[in-house]
Amino acid sequence: MWINALSVFRVENADTTEWVKAFSSFPLVDPVGGERKTYGFTPLGEEELFVDQMHDYYAFVGSLAERMLPSEAVDREVIKFKNANPERAAAGGDADKLWCEIEQRMLPHAAIRETRTPAVFCAKTSLLYVFGQTKLGMEALLTSVRNALGSFVCIPMSPSIEVAGTLTEWISKETPDGIALGEDVVFEVSDGSRTTIIGQDLKGEVVRKHLDAGERVKRLSLVWRDELVFEISEKGEAKKIGPPGCKMKPRTAVLHWPEIMEKLPAFVRELGGHLGYELDALDPGGEDLESPSEEESIGPVETEAAPLDSPSAAAPGFVPLVVPSVEAPADVVHAILDRLASRHPPDGIVILKRPADSYRAVYSWAADNGIQVELAAWGDELAWPCAATALVCTASDEQVIQDMRALAIDHGCKVMVARE
């Protein structure tokens, strides 16, 4: 399963130019002192990116850290304190003040619960796809964004039809084009109870009896174009979304967000059409995130500052510029590139002409995996090889990493940072 629950918002007046800097300035930290909650962003994956960008899409994770201190635990400590200090108990006074004093002493030692909510924003359509629907999860995401940006106005996309009746019709009559019935359904009985049917033919006799009894669908499992299985609730909530047979956990699946976003916009658009969403605001979908258009792929014009020994004749797909730190061991470089290839199989690699074993390790890894290599000269002034559509930086120096990020973003390219 990719997404446990999906929410879609239309964002007003979003300006993504400062998101990387703003979100990086608000990392999630533990509550200190008397704080109960803190908000911030947690990096995506091992690359430690607070905003992972690809074309018009921006992925990030809003988070909440909360001290878990039950009131019962404070009550017990208050009783212990009074038993140990009978003169204080006899004096009476403000019981609420004593309770608060003990709570403040206990808070720094309480366990911390962390809530993470991934989201992907499409700048082209101003739609925000939130991979979570819980009240606490939405609080974590939206409060983090508003703290970082100052303001963030988003309008939830919701059905304009009566969903339960529509789902009931889909079972009793037929589903719309591109939508097929799954094998699970939950009916609501007239007395308020529920009947759950799992792993059944939803056109079979068992389900037909419930429909004939006038029961309405409360939750229904469906299949979208044989590509995604999902459930729809009576409120129009899309849940448990993922490819058929996918065993991936949602917390892990977000690391593969580019693959998810290859399908999700079209899925939301079609489903939104059936449930009465405002279609002109929905993402048309169909964009291959791993294969940008020719105009996007070619990038800036090659200059004398960044010559390529063997420039590609064709526009590249995903071609990273790999910049390891000089002292990185070969096995570390190979492990980083293996992780890169597992997420974004490269069409080629651009590496610098630099006499260091770590750079030779990149060349040997590419040769072992049958990946074309282009050598680029890179002098004191940072210049961008025109064939590179992404940058993979393994430098340990923070300033170098920030310079690399700024350079890649200036050229509209993806950034990946890996720690050694």
Side-chain angles (χ1 to χ4, degrees), residues 352-369:
L352 308 184
K353 289 192 278 188
R354 192 171 184 182
D357 288 343
S358 58
Y359 283 70
R360 298 187 185 101
V362 177
Y363 196 98
S364 65
W365 181 89
D368 291 342
N369 288 273

Side-chain angles (χ1 to χ4, degrees), residues 38-312:
T38 54
Y39 302 89
F41 298 91
T42 49
L44 273 163
E46 298 175 346
E47 292 82 18
E48 299 192 6
L49 301 177
F50 286 96
V51 179
D52 196 3
Q53 178 187 358
M54 183 172 289
H55 310 314
D56 292 319
Y57 292 92
Y58 299 78
F60 54 93
V61 180
S63 302
L64 160 68
E66 182 178 12
R67 293 282 183 185
M68 302 305 296
L69 182 57
S71 59
E72 294 82 357
V74 181
D75 291 339
R76 287 196 297 271
E77 291 302 314
V78 170
I79 294 172
K80 291 180 183 178
F81 179 84
K82 289 181 176 180
N83 291 337
N85 300 272
E87 68 286 353
R88 176 77 180 267
D94 192 344
D96 290 339
K97 182 179 179 181
L98 175 61
W99 198 95
C100 290
E101 288 177 358
I102 293 179
E103 180 196 34
Q104 291 300 305
R105 289 205 300 265
M106 295 176 66
L107 269 177
H109 308 288
I112 296 176
R113 179 180 66 184
E114 190 172 307
T115 301
R116 298 184 179 185
T117 305
V120 179
F121 176 69
C122 177
K124 185 177 181 180
T125 60
S126 296
L127 291 184
L128 178 70
Y129 301 84
V130 180
F131 300 173
Q133 272 183 334
T134 66
K135 182 178 179 180
L136 195 62
M138 294 305 303
E139 175 188 340
L141 179 77
L142 297 180
T143 303
S144 298
V145 174
R146 286 167 180 152
N147 286 348
L149 301 180
S151 66
F152 189 71
V153 180
C154 56
I155 302 169
M157 306 289 287
S158 57
S160 61
I161 64 171
E162 201 270 319
V163 179
T166 299
L167 297 181
T168 304
E169 287 187 5
W170 286 1
I171 292 185
S172 61
K173 298 178 180 178
E174 61 180 4
T175 56
D177 290 342
I179 302 290
L181 295 175
E183 297 181 337
D184 306 333
V185 63
V186 176
F187 285 106
E188 184 176 34
V189 186
S190 57
D191 61 4
S193 61
R194 300 180 183 182
T195 301
T196 301
I197 299 175
I198 299 176
Q200 295 284 335
D201 177 6
L202 299 189
K203 289 292 187 179
E205 185 63 27
V206 173
V207 173
R208 175 58 57 185
K209 290 181 179 179
H210 290 276
L211 292 172
D212 292 342
E215 297 178 12
R216 287 162 62 84
V217 174
K218 194 171 185 67
R219 190 172 69 246
L220 177 64
S221 68
L222 297 163
V223 182
W224 176 71
R225 299 197 174 280
D226 295 326
E227 295 184 30
L228 295 177
V229 295
F230 64 103
E231 291 184 355
I232 289 290
S233 74
E234 61 179 344
K235 297 180 181 179
E237 302 161 329
K239 299 184 176 184
K240 299 183 179 180
I241 305 168
C246 178
K247 302 298 183 182
M248 194 178 298
K249 295 182 179 179
R251 187 160 184 164
T252 305
V254 70
L255 300 178
H256 304 273
W257 72 265
E259 178 186 351
I260 294 174
M261 294 308 295
E262 287 179 7
K263 300 181 183 296
L264 198 61
F267 165 75
V268 169
R269 181 176 178 80
E270 289 192 23
L271 184 62
H274 300 313
L275 300 182
Y277 283 44
E278 296 180 33
L279 291 179
D280 58 344
L282 292 178
D283 193 329
E287 179 181 8
D288 185 352
L289 297 187
E290 299 297 342
S291 302
S293 65
E294 182 175 352
E295 180 180 355
E296 292 173 329
S297 299
I298 293 175
V301 178
E302 185 178 344
T303 65
E304 293 182 2
L308 291 176
D309 283 5
S310 304
S312 297

Side-chain angles (χ1 to χ4, degrees), residues 375-393:
L375 299 177
W378 199 342
D380 294 333
E381 293 294 327
L382 294 179
W384 188 264
C386 69
T389 63
L391 181 145
V392 181
C393 174

